[in-house]
Amino acid sequence: MDNANPEPGDLEQELRSLGQNLGAVFRAAWESEDRRRIQGEIETGLNEAAAALQSAADEFGRSEAGQQLKQDVRDLGDRIQSGELPSKVREDLLQVLRTVNAELNRAGQEMAGRADASAPPEEGAP
């Protein structure tokens, strides 16, 4: 019958015991040899991956493509600082807009010419 109506102190004691047991399990898991081994494997793997990435980056930097990329970045920086790039972009954009406008104007004139040719003659026109 004691199990049907537990005393309030029993519940507190069981919760306290649960907390202590969970803490002990977590401590044991953290201090286990398996956890240390896995942590070591992860650290080794990450170090090897970092070394491989660094090696690949160094190799690319020494390659012809890497040297060209470095030069291109330097050139771009120089063009930005000199003001050449914004001016060149503006010139290119202006040229594109002029070309598009000329083509639209030509297409509009052609469409208007076709419309005039297919329209019925006005009354009173010779």
Side-chain angles (χ1 to χ4, degrees):
M1 241 164 115
D2 289 335
N3 290 342
N5 292 319
E7 294 290 321
D10 292 342
L11 183 59
E12 290 174 19
Q13 179 58 40
E14 289 303 317
L15 288 172
R16 189 174 303 114
S17 292
L18 175 65
Q20 291 170 349
N21 289 333
L22 284 173
V25 168
F26 288 142
R27 265 190 305 285
W30 181 253
E31 294 169 358
S32 75
E33 186 59 37
D34 284 341
R35 197 259 329 144
R36 287 189 201 109
R37 180 183 49 77
I38 292 170
Q39 179 180 352
E41 289 174 3
I42 290 171
E43 289 173 356
T44 300
L46 289 174
N47 288 334
E48 289 173 359
L53 286 172
Q54 183 63 50
S55 175
D58 292 345
E59 185 177 325
F60 178 75
R62 290 187 299 270
S63 72
E64 186 176 327
Q67 293 299 316
Q68 182 62 49
L69 179 61
K70 285 180 186 178
Q71 186 59 47
D72 290 348
V73 169
R74 277 190 225 109
D75 291 348
L76 179 60
D78 292 345
R79 290 171 67 191
I80 289 171
Q81 288 179 349
S82 72
E84 177 187 343
L85 186 64
S87 176
K88 177 70 172 148
V89 168
R90 186 176 183 280
E91 290 172 19
D92 290 348
L93 180 59
L94 186 59
Q95 182 60 42
V96 167
L97 290 172
R98 284 180 179 152
T99 301
V100 168
N101 280 328
E103 291 299 315
L104 287 173
N105 188 29
R106 185 182 61 76
Q109 288 175 354
E110 286 179 10
M111 292 172 80
R114 278 185 262 156
D116 288 344
S118 65
E122 294 182 24
E123 287 189 32

